[in-house]
Amino acid sequence: MFQKIIIASKNPVKIEATQAGFHRMFKNESFVFEGISVPSEVRDQPMSNKETLDGARNRAKNAKDQFPNAEYWVGIEGGIHDDVFGMQAFAWIVILSNEKLSQAQTAIFYLPEPIANMVRGGVELGAADDQYFGRSNSKQKDGAVGILTKGEIDRKAYYEHAMVMALIPFRKEN
């Protein structure tokens, strides 16, 4: 029997990270994954921790509302937040089932100041990365984390660890 997982994104990196996280945490279970587009109800570039978490929650909830016949709904939202050290980049992952809501945050990292300044000026992080590094569509590939770590941590791996953490409450032994 397959369990249906709805991912509130059509971004291949987010879909792959969700698949990898579920397969790592539930090795003996079978899943069918579907990526869909739903609104986050926040800005295209969330500018705070709260707004980013709200975006992930809204995506998961809107996915559940649109496709109620699934076992899990996953929202992933990347965001930024300025603090005294500079501009942090991170993502929130929210997973819903009919019984539970769980969430986890990725690690944070600081953006180089030229990219942070573009984002402060209204450019979405993915577009700022593309512009600064002379790339295209990096947010559906390695993302800022992959570019800045020179491939040591790509965007899929970056999301995958947080996905595993968000799945902890859904393990049967918990």
Side-chain angles (χ1 to χ4, degrees):
M1 178 80 161
F2 290 95
Q3 295 183 65
K4 184 150 191 157
I5 315 301
I6 301 293
I7 305 152
S9 177
K10 290 196 172 198
N11 183 318
V13 173
K14 293 179 180 182
I15 292 169
E16 290 170 16
T18 301
Q19 291 171 333
F22 270 84
H23 288 303
R24 285 177 72 178
M25 289 296 279
F26 306 106
K27 290 177 178 35
N28 298 321
E29 296 184 37
S30 298
F31 302 101
V32 173
F33 298 90
E34 184 176 349
I36 63 166
S37 292
V38 295
S40 67
E41 301 174 32
V42 299
R43 291 179 276 192
D44 288 343
Q45 179 58 73
M47 300 293 284
S48 71
N49 192 43
K50 181 189 181 316
E51 186 178 9
T52 306
L53 178 56
D54 287 348
R57 283 183 183 151
N58 293 342
R59 286 188 190 280
K61 180 194 168 299
N62 290 336
K64 185 176 182 181
D65 290 347
Q66 192 171 332
F67 288 89
N69 296 323
E71 280 68 42
Y72 297 94
W73 299 267
V74 177
I76 303 172
E77 191 75 23
I80 56 93
H81 174 79
D82 266 312
D83 69 13
V84 297
F85 301 107
M87 182 175 281
Q88 302 175 357
F90 55 88
W92 274 101
I93 294 174
V94 172
I95 303 173
L96 292 175
S97 72
N98 284 318
E99 297 82 35
K100 294 179 187 175
L101 178 149
S102 181
Q103 60 197 34
Q105 187 179 22
T106 63
I108 65 163
F109 62 96
Y110 286 88
L111 297 171
E113 202 55 32
I115 295 171
N117 284 332
M118 283 189 249
V119 174
R120 288 184 194 105
V123 178
E124 188 178 2
L125 177 56
D129 288 337
D130 289 346
Q131 191 176 337
Y132 186 77
F133 292 106
R135 297 170 145 241
S136 65
N137 203 22
S138 60
K139 73 179 192 175
Q140 290 197 356
K141 298 175 187 163
D142 50 358
V145 70
I147 296 167
L148 295 170
T149 64
K150 299 196 182 314
E152 292 299 320
I153 301 172
D154 66 16
R155 197 168 184 219
K156 176 187 168 278
Y158 181 62
Y159 289 155
E160 184 180 335
H161 288 104
M163 184 68 60
V164 167
M165 299 304 164
L167 285 167
I168 291 170
F170 298 103
R171 298 273 306 243
K172 289 181 179 41
E173 55 271 8
N174 290 340

